[in-house]
């Protein structure tokens, strides 16, 4: 996983509308980049709605939120609309960016071991350097 002081990998992924979004699109702003396993599941919904509920405070700090999961853009648009999410949800079907941030790894659930999303949040400065990692 990336740590404080690390430079973030390049992000260039389609959002819920299919438009390709990159960190450079938000030059001069801080970014809250969070990785979550699956649209419209209990934990992921709680997390997304938490960001939604403080989104105005995040904007006031000259920052944006980007949610990333391996779900499709079509799945993201349903999730966004259902919960009125005001930020971009990016689709990383190949998990390239997810792996680049170190948010992909071995997980265990009900005695089964598998590879999947490690729920993670990174706050990047205006130069895309990690200033906090959770």
């Amino acid at each position: 996983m990336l740590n404080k002081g690390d430079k973030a990998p390049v992000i260039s992924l389609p959002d819920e509308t299919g438009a390709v979004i990159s960190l450079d699109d938000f030059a001069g702003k801080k970014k809250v980049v969070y990785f979550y396993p699956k649209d419209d599941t209990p934990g992921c919904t709680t997390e997304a709605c938490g960001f939604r509920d403080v989104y105005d405070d995040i904007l006031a700090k000259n920052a944006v939120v980007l949610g990333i999961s391996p779900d499709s853009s079509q799945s993201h648009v349903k999730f966004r609309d259902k919960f009125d999410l005001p930020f971009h949800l990016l689709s990383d079907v190949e998990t390239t960016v997810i792996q680049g941030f170190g948010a992909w790894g071995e997980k265990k659930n009900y005695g089964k071991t598998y590879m999947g999303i490690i729920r993670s949040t990174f706050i990047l400065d205006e130069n895309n350097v990690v200033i906090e990692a959770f």
Side-chain angles (χ1 to χ4, degrees), residues 38-94:
K38 185 133 183 73
D39 290 339
D40 206 9
T41 56
C44 297
T45 298
T46 298
E47 183 176 31
C49 290
F51 284 117
R52 176 201 63 203
D53 294 347
V54 297
Y55 192 63
D56 288 340
D57 296 332
I58 292 169
L59 289 176
K61 297 202 181 291
N62 195 35
V64 297
V65 174
L66 301 171
I68 301 176
S69 85
D71 290 315
S72 69
S73 294
Q74 294 83 7
S75 177
H76 284 340
V77 80
K78 291 176 190 174
F79 187 44
R80 179 203 63 195
D81 291 351
K82 183 175 181 179
F83 294 100
D84 197 27
L85 303 176
F87 46 83
H88 294 283
L89 298 174
L90 306 183
S91 180
D92 188 10
V93 175
E94 302 295 324

